[in-house]
């Protein structure tokens, strides 16, 4: 509630009394809601009854937008949590960390920290019906910086995440041609007549060349900006235009978009899985993926990466989860929602992994056959020139139809006989397992490995269009949640701002800030922001969220609030997870992240045009300063808000009450007796022996019209919504 606003408790009176807020509260002691029972119509020391009495009346829900249906809300949460990371990060981690064995630590950590923390964010957002800033101002104002840090991280992530959507848009439109433009290396004309294959492409591959040179036109170092890439600039503009149109009306517009953007990726993934299983070698890829390497489960690094993936897969700490749930009815079963969305997210990751490795298995077979043919021709050349003896070749080998098994047999014989000079022959082993072990993730998976595999599909443009349209929708769902995490807290704090103006303004500012990422060196900044802007700050944010609810507000009180809200008491499992297990896991994760950042060299993979390959380079001092400033900027609101509120330099934010809270306060105060009203307002006085219960229907006593301003320490959640 604004500082000088007034709540009128009015009954007919010929002489209404009007006092200023300052006059009324000059000698007033601050009210401690935690100890006061008068606000609930209870005698001191009595415990509040948990039940429907603590829930707001239907009229209290007015004034805040709401989801049109439960399905729309679930799709919004699924669209936000299921993103690009499910397609190109989770499969990579599975391949790197033991295949099927990685699923065991992932699922364990999903149960121990993923679902409990996701449930916590859903519950506080639904209960308090505010965005991330408002929620943590109510729970514990000194930690109100949690919401600001969430908003900062959302901003950083949104800037570069939409660039990836822009890349997908570019590839989407490039897919409407046959053959696909990345199917073959371009031809360069030299001296007006001689045609040669582009050297950079010949040294790498057609898809790699198209990505680095024709799409990004990338420079060789981060220090050489190279100017704007106009095609990527237009793609970024298109991406922000789509996002702006999707969120401009709040959940009224984004909720409708979610029906398509959340469901369409599943249609594409299922189509790709069916098509992939029909391809030669797909079973090899899937078998390689799910063959468990149990020894990997004993490595701490595997558990750390599983915890990090669980953490980011559900979108914890971004504020989008809280913002979406704040538009729910307060009696919605958010416990069911938390379990449902988490399981859908996990199943989606498994589905995406099946698709990726079915396609990569096909690609590995293609590349292995190509390797066999090329090296078979080398051996045939050595036989014709007399470098190798025909006696080394098994009699059943047919060079016109050389199989991988026959080549392996020849390779083994030649390596054994010509051991001293074998390296000079330049023969490759052509082992399928080696191709399958080539780990790719992120843009390397989506824009290089997967696109190369699709060039071998029948009707490859169709599958390419479908794939990149899926990436656009996956990214759009996450961007809608990210933008909601930004706009909802701002609209809660400044309700007079029109959401349309705010959304358009945010998108315009973000587009111009995003020009940093569409320079020719922009990909290096995308990597920097991805590595530094979100990881550590978000982990700290969720850690403080957990502490503020479980240890400051109190787990028992929170469980009582949940029982009041849901109509049943959640399992005791959540009590112990919130109180002990989740904070311990998050502490270990923070320590491990800091150690890794300290030990690992800070740098990026630069594309060197002369070598036509990537090379790891360390960040120059100025770039390292930018990287660490991202972490500091994201975490700075935490100590700043704490210090400012500790020394009363900043309002605790609790005067900006939600509409439903203000209505509930007016309704409840009108039922108090005069003496109890004075105690409620001024925080002093003795209650009458039998105070009137505020939830009983009885005529209110005569009161003078009084104008109030309520300033208080943060009340329990159950008191906020009586």
């Amino acid at each position: 509630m604004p500082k000088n606003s007034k709540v009128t408790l009015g009954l007919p009176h010929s002489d209404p009394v009007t006092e200023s807020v300052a006059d009324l509260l000059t000698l007033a002691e601050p009210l401690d809601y935690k100890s006061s029972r008068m606000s609930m119509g209870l005698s001191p020391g009595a415990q509040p009854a948990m039940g429907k009495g603590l829930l707001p009346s239907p009229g209290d829900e007015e004034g805040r937008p709401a989801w049109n249906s439960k399905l729309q809300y679930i799709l919004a949460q699924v669209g936000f949590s299921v993103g690009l990371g499910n397609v190109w990060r989770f499969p990579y981690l599975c391949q790197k960390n033991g295949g099927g064995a990685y699923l065991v630590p992932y699922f364990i950590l999903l149960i121990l920290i993923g679902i409990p923390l996701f449930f916590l964010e859903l519950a506080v957002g639904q209960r308090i019906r505010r965005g991330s800033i408002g929620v943590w101002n109510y729970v514990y104002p000194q930690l109100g910086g949690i919401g600001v840090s969430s908003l900062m991280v959302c901003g950083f992530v949104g800037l570069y995440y939409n660039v990836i959507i822009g890349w997908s848009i570019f590839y989407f439109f490039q897919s409407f041609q046959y053959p696909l433009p990345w199917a073959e290396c371009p031809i360069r004309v030299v001296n007006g007549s001689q045609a040669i294959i582009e050297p950079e492409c010949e040294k790498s591959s057609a898809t790699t060349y198209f990505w680095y040179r024709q799409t990004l036109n990338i420079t060789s170092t981060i220090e050489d900006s190279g100017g704007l890439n106009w095609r990527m600039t237009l793609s970024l503009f298109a991406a922000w235009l789509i996002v702006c149109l999707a969120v401009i009306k709040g959940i009224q517009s984004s909720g409708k978009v979610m029906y398509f953007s959340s469901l369409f990726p599943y249609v594409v993934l299922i189509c790709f899985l069916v098509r992939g299983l029909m391809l030669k070698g797909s079973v090899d890829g899937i078998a390689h993926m799910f063959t468990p390497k149990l020894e990997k489960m004993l490595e701490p690094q595997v558990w750390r990466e599983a915890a990090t993936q669980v953490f980011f897969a559900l979108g914890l700490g971004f504020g989008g989860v809280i913002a979406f749930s704040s538009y729910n009815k307060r009696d919605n079963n958010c416990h069911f929602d938390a379990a449902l969305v988490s399981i859908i997210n996990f199943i989606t990751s498994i589905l995406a992994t099946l698709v990726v490795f079915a396609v990569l298995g096909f690609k590995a077979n293609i590349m292995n056959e190509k390797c066999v043919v090329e090296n078979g021709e080398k051996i045939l050349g050595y036989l014709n020139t007399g470098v190798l003896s025909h006696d080394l070749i098994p009699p059943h080998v047919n060079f016109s139809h050389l199989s991988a098994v026959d080549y392996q047999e020849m390779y083994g014989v030649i390596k054994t006989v010509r051991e001293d000079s074998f390296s000079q022959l330049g023969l490759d082993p052509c082992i399928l397992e080696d191709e399958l072990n080539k780990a790719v993730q992120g843009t390397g998976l989506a824009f290089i490995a997967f696109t190369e595999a699709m060039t071998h599909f029948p009707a490859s443009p169709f599958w390419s269009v479908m794939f990149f349209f899926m990436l656009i929708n996956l990214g759009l769902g996450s961007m809608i949640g990210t933008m909601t995490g930004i706009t909802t807290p701002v609209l809660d704090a400044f309700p007079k701002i029109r959401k349309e103006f705010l959304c358009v303004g945010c998108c315009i500012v973000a587009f111009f800030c995003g020009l940093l990422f569409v320079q020719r060196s922009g990909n290096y900044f995308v990597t920097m922001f991805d590595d530094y802007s979100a990881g550590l700050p978000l982990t700290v944010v969720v850690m403080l969220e957990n502490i503020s609810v479980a240890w400051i507000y109190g787990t028992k009180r929170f469980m009582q609030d949940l029982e009041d809200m849901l109509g049943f008491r959640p399992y005791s499992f959540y009590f112990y997870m919130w109180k002990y297990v989740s904070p311990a896991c998050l502490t270990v994760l923070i320590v491990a992240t800091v150690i890794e950042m300290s030990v690992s060299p800070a740098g990026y993979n630069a594309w060197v045009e002369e070598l036509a390959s990537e090379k790891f380079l360390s960040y120059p001092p100025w770039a390292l300063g930018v990287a660490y400033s991202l972490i500091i900027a994201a975490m700075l609101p935490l100590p700043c808000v704490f210090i400012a509120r500790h020394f009363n330099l900043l309002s605790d934010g609790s005067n900006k009450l939600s509409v439903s809270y203000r209505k509930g306060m007016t309704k409840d105060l009108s039922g108090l007796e005069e003496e109890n009203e004075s105690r409620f307002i001024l925080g002093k006085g003795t209650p009458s022996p039998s105070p009137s219960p505020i939830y009983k229907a009885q005529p209110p006593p005569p009161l003078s019209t009084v104008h109030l301003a309520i300033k208080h320490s943060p009340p329990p959640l159950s008191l906020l919504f009586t």
Side-chain angles (χ1 to χ4, degrees):
M1 184 182 295
K3 185 176 180 182
N4 295 322
S5 65
K6 302 171 182 179
V7 175
T8 303
L9 303 180
L11 290 174
H13 197 282
S14 57
D15 270 317
V17 180
T18 305
E19 298 182 82
S20 70
V21 174
D23 293 337
L24 184 64
L25 298 179
T26 299
L27 302 176
E29 297 174 5
L31 173 63
D32 183 2
Y33 272 86
K34 294 180 180 179
S35 59
S36 172
R37 300 293 177 186
M38 291 310 303
S39 60
M40 302 179 65
L42 299 172
S43 59
Q47 293 297 321
M50 306 304 294
K52 291 185 179 179
L54 292 179
L55 295 174
S57 65
D60 295 341
E61 303 293 336
E62 297 173 3
R64 189 173 187 83
W67 298 102
N68 292 334
S69 67
K70 180 67 173 281
L71 175 62
Q72 189 180 78
Y73 165 68
I74 292 296
L75 290 177
Q77 290 287 14
V78 168
F80 177 52
S81 65
V82 175
L84 298 173
N86 296 76
V87 174
W88 65 35
R89 177 70 177 168
F90 186 87
Y92 162 76
L93 292 176
C94 280
Q95 180 186 25
K96 176 186 175 185
N97 295 317
Y102 173 76
L103 300 179
V104 176
Y106 183 87
F107 189 74
I108 290 174
L109 291 169
L110 178 66
I111 299 298
L112 293 182
I113 63 174
I115 294 178
L117 293 176
F118 192 60
F119 180 27
L120 184 146
E121 288 202 355
L122 290 180
V124 295
Q126 181 174 307
R127 184 68 175 177
I128 300 176
R129 294 177 64 77
R130 302 297 294 274
S132 56
I133 295 178
V135 159
W136 304 114
N137 278 340
Y138 281 131
V139 174
Y140 188 60
Q142 277 77 2
L143 289 180
I146 293 174
V148 183
S149 287
S150 292
L151 191 147
M152 295 281 291
V153 173
C154 277
F156 289 149
V157 172
L159 287 178
Y160 77 83
Y161 202 88
N162 222 27
V163 174
I164 301 174
I165 299 178
W167 294 340
S168 301
I169 291 173
F170 175 76
Y171 267 76
F172 172 75
F173 285 106
Q174 290 291 316
S175 299
F176 287 95
Q177 48 188 306
Y178 184 82
L180 291 170
W182 51 82
E184 297 176 352
C185 286
I187 304 298
R188 177 193 291 185
V189 178
V190 181
N191 298 327
S193 59
Q194 186 180 1
I196 63 170
I197 297 176
E198 181 67 42
E200 186 181 2
C201 182
E202 190 175 20
K203 292 178 184 177
S204 53
S205 69
T207 50
T208 304
Y209 175 81
F210 186 86
W211 167 243
Y212 282 114
R213 186 55 52 214
Q214 295 189 321
T215 301
L216 301 179
N217 194 19
I218 199 165
T219 58
S220 296
T221 67
I222 195 173
E223 295 177 285
D224 180 12
S225 69
L228 288 178
N229 182 334
W230 68 269
R231 289 191 292 185
M232 293 303 101
T233 303
L234 291 177
S235 299
L236 179 64
F237 177 79
W240 277 113
L241 181 62
I242 293 170
V243 170
C244 184
L245 294 176
V247 300
I248 193 167
K249 292 291 185 180
I251 63 171
Q252 280 77 18
S253 57
S254 62
K256 294 179 176 64
V257 173
M258 285 297 184
Y259 281 114
F260 182 80
S261 65
S262 296
L263 293 175
F264 180 75
Y266 290 96
V267 175
V268 177
L269 285 174
I270 292 171
C271 291
F272 262 98
L273 180 60
V274 173
R275 184 68 188 90
L277 291 175
M278 297 178 182
L279 298 172
K280 179 183 177 182
S282 61
V283 177
D284 295 330
I286 293 174
H288 174 77
M289 166 62 228
F290 286 104
T291 301
K293 302 176 182 67
L294 298 178
E295 66 278 3
K296 286 279 190 178
M297 290 179 59
L298 302 177
E299 298 179 10
Q301 177 74 2
V302 173
W303 289 82
R304 189 192 71 81
E305 292 190 344
T308 304
Q309 180 62 18
V310 166
F311 188 81
F312 290 107
L314 295 174
L316 299 174
F318 281 94
V321 173
I322 293 176
F324 280 152
S325 65
S326 71
Y327 298 114
N328 265 332
K329 294 180 180 178
R330 202 163 289 114
D331 59 352
N332 173 64
N333 188 350
C334 56
H335 173 256
F336 171 79
D337 300 342
L340 178 63
V341 173
S342 300
I343 297 302
I344 290 175
N345 188 291
F346 179 64
I347 293 174
T348 305
S349 297
I350 299 296
L351 176 61
T353 302
L354 287 171
V355 170
V356 167
F357 277 91
V359 174
L360 292 184
F362 165 70
K363 173 180 173 286
N365 268 268
I366 294 290
M367 300 306 294
N368 197 57
E369 289 176 359
K370 182 179 178 182
C371 177
V372 168
V373 171
E374 291 177 351
N375 285 272
E377 290 176 353
K378 284 185 182 179
I379 293 175
L380 192 58
Y382 292 144
L383 292 174
N384 293 333
T385 57
V387 175
L388 293 177
S389 170
H390 286 274
D391 296 336
L392 298 177
I393 308 302
H396 63 274
V397 172
N398 182 359
F399 277 94
S400 60
H401 297 89
L402 187 61
S403 67
V405 175
D406 290 342
Y407 174 78
Q408 288 295 324
E409 186 177 354
M410 281 195 308
Y411 180 86
V413 172
I414 295 172
K415 185 175 182 181
T416 303
V417 174
R418 301 290 299 269
E419 185 176 358
D420 296 335
S421 59
F422 180 77
S423 59
Q424 299 174 5
L425 299 176
L427 298 178
D428 298 316
C430 298
I431 301 174
L432 180 62
E433 191 76 9
D434 292 343
E435 286 291 337
L436 292 171
N437 281 330
K438 290 181 180 178
V440 287
Q441 64 164 324
T443 54
L445 174 63
F447 298 105
I448 298 177
F450 217 87
T451 52
E452 184 173 353
M454 286 188 295
T455 58
H456 301 287
F457 281 22
S460 55
F462 169 78
W463 294 105
S464 183
V465 167
M466 292 283 282
F467 176 71
F468 289 108
F469 194 40
M470 178 190 72
L471 291 187
I472 292 170
N473 281 277
L474 283 172
L476 180 60
S478 297
M479 274 303 299
I480 288 174
T482 301
M483 288 296 295
T484 305
I486 295 172
T487 58
T488 297
V490 175
L491 291 172
D492 287 340
F494 306 99
K496 292 185 179 180
I497 298 178
R498 289 191 60 179
K499 68 180 68 172
E500 294 87 350
F501 294 159
L502 177 64
C503 290
V504 172
C506 286
C507 291
I508 291 174
V509 171
F511 168 72
F512 283 105
C513 292
L515 294 178
L516 172 70
F517 306 104
V518 291
Q519 303 175 97
R520 290 180 58 197
S521 61
N523 187 46
Y524 304 139
F525 287 98
V526 170
T527 302
M528 177 194 292
F529 272 64
D530 190 37
D531 290 341
Y532 290 92
S533 68
L536 182 61
L538 272 187
T539 313
V540 173
V541 162
V542 177
M543 174 75 171
L544 293 177
E545 288 180 358
N546 195 168
I547 290 174
S548 63
V549 171
W551 288 92
I552 297 176
Y553 180 76
T555 311
K556 289 183 179 179
R557 297 169 67 198
F558 188 57
M559 293 287 280
Q560 289 177 343
D561 287 327
L562 290 176
E563 183 178 357
D564 169 40
M565 184 169 67
L566 302 176
F568 63 90
R569 192 173 185 83
Y571 301 116
S572 299
F573 164 81
Y574 291 104
F575 177 90
Y576 295 105
M577 292 300 105
W578 289 329
K579 190 80 171 178
Y580 305 111
V581 178
S582 295
C585 291
L586 289 171
T587 301
V588 172
L589 183 58
I590 290 172
V591 172
T593 302
V594 172
I595 292 174
E596 187 190 14
M597 291 178 64
S598 304
V599 173
S600 302
Y604 60 101
N605 289 318
W607 178 258
V608 182
E609 183 176 357
E610 294 76 17
L611 303 175
S613 63
E614 289 185 334
K615 180 181 178 181
F616 183 83
L617 298 178
S618 297
Y619 283 121
W622 67 266
L624 200 58
V626 172
Y628 286 120
S629 68
L630 293 174
I631 300 176
I632 295 172
M635 297 176 62
L636 194 60
L638 297 170
C640 288
V641 173
F642 184 88
I643 293 170
R645 285 184 173 155
H646 181 75
F647 293 102
N648 297 320
L649 301 176
L650 182 68
S651 166
D652 64 6
S654 57
N655 57 336
K656 295 178 180 178
L657 304 178
S658 63
V659 173
S660 61
Y661 181 43
R662 287 199 298 266
K663 291 182 178 179
M665 288 294 297
T666 306
K667 172 185 152 204
D668 293 345
L669 287 176
S670 67
L672 294 173
E673 295 179 359
E674 185 170 1
E675 185 176 72
N676 291 338
E677 178 194 23
S678 300
R679 178 177 174 83
F680 186 86
I681 298 169
L682 303 177
K684 59 186 179 181
T686 306
S688 61
S690 20
S692 302
I694 49 180
Y695 302 118
K696 257 185 175 180
Q698 53 181 309
L703 294 173
S704 299
T705 302
V706 183
H707 294 94
L708 305 176
I710 302 171
K711 183 177 180 63
H712 54 78
S713 61
L717 299 183
S718 56
L719 297 184
L720 285 176
F721 304 105
T722 54

